[in-house]
Amino acid sequence: MMKSMLTVAAASLVMFTAGSAFAQSIGDGEKTFAVNASKSAIKFVSEAPAEKIQGTANGKISGSVTLNLSNLAESKGTISFPVGSMETGNKLRDRHMKGKDWLNAKANPNITFTLESIADGVADGAGAKGIAVGKINVNGVEAPAKAEIELKYLADKGLFKVEIKALEVKLANHKVEGKQGVVGSKVGETIKITSGIKTDRKSTRLNSSHH
């Protein structure tokens, strides 16, 4: 159930590489891209000896990312989604997942990833790859987070697609303990997340000043 918490981090990583055909396609300088919730999706997986659980958190992802194509280290952003949007295909399990012993949706309704920097950015044709570095807040507890990111500019559709290749979140880092004996047996100690985040031209704007 706790696997869901990792979803936020995944959604939050939108990154680009400077000095490439990709960067040239959207121009130089600092730009802000808003998440298009209707076109974005998140998946999470918990693997434990007794059970493998897969789930989604779609439709209510929000936030934006500001990219500095001249200096990716200065890129920043925030992505968030409500714990209530997470589903595993089992209503009883979902209820438990959102309860006070797990993600505690009532006290901590949102999962949020804050992007602080982009490291090791490499141009790859009409896209870029790199490492998103930041923090993720789950269950009201913030912890460092990073993940591999691949970004593609789909010129014919006028949108950007961001895929999270590997995001691992340790439940213990967020004080998610669950019922005694469940974590490590039925729920993985570490949750893996993948995501596809999209923005379109209507949700993209050029900043008039540097922040």
Side-chain angles (χ1 to χ4, degrees):
M1 298 177 260
M2 327 201 317
K3 0 172 181 63
S4 323
M5 44 177 46
L6 314 184
T7 323
V8 180
S12 169
L13 317 173
V14 181
M15 18 169 67
F16 307 41
T17 300
S20 65
F22 170 70
Q24 294 171 10
S25 68
I26 60 176
D28 295 326
E30 187 178 88
K31 290 180 170 60
T32 297
F33 301 86
V35 172
N36 185 321
S38 66
K39 297 180 180 179
S40 300
I42 292 175
K43 297 180 180 180
F44 55 88
V45 178
S46 166
E47 294 191 65
E51 189 173 7
K52 178 178 180 179
I53 303 173
Q54 301 181 77
T56 61
N58 304 330
K60 296 184 179 180
I61 303 167
S62 64
S64 64
V65 174
T66 298
L67 305 169
N68 186 330
L69 298 181
S70 300
N71 186 353
L72 288 177
E74 294 184 358
S75 297
K76 54 188 178 293
T78 300
I79 302 294
S80 183
F81 70 90
V83 173
S85 69
M86 298 183 286
E87 300 179 347
T88 66
N90 182 309
K91 292 184 178 180
L92 178 59
R93 179 168 57 206
D94 291 348
R95 248 192 336 266
H96 289 166
M97 173 179 65
K98 300 166 188 176
K100 63 179 181 179
D101 292 324
W102 297 91
L103 298 180
N104 201 354
K106 185 175 182 179
N108 305 296
N110 298 305
I111 291 177
T112 301
F113 174 78
T114 301
L115 175 65
E116 299 178 337
S117 181
I118 295 173
D120 302 328
V122 177
D124 182 20
K129 295 180 180 180
I131 303 295
V133 180
K135 296 178 181 179
I136 183 170
N137 190 309
V138 176
N139 192 34
V141 180
E142 195 172 65
K146 62 181 180 179
E148 296 179 14
I149 294 293
E150 181 175 341
L151 173 68
K152 293 182 180 180
Y153 177 56
L154 307 179
D156 59 330
K157 297 181 179 179
L159 56 79
F160 297 96
K161 182 178 182 180
V162 181
E163 294 183 86
I164 303 299
K165 299 296 182 179
L167 174 65
E168 297 186 352
V169 177
K170 293 184 178 180
L171 299 181
N173 289 346
H174 301 278
K175 298 183 179 180
V176 177
E177 300 177 349
K179 295 294 185 179
Q180 186 174 4
V182 174
V183 176
S185 61
K186 293 184 178 181
V187 173
E189 295 179 358
T190 298
I191 306 307
K192 295 183 179 180
I193 304 235
T194 60
S195 73
I197 305 301
K198 295 182 180 179
T199 68
D200 55 27
R201 288 172 179 165
K202 292 182 180 179
S203 61
T204 304
R205 66 182 183 279
L206 175 64
N207 288 350
S208 59
S209 62
H210 182 81
H211 298 291

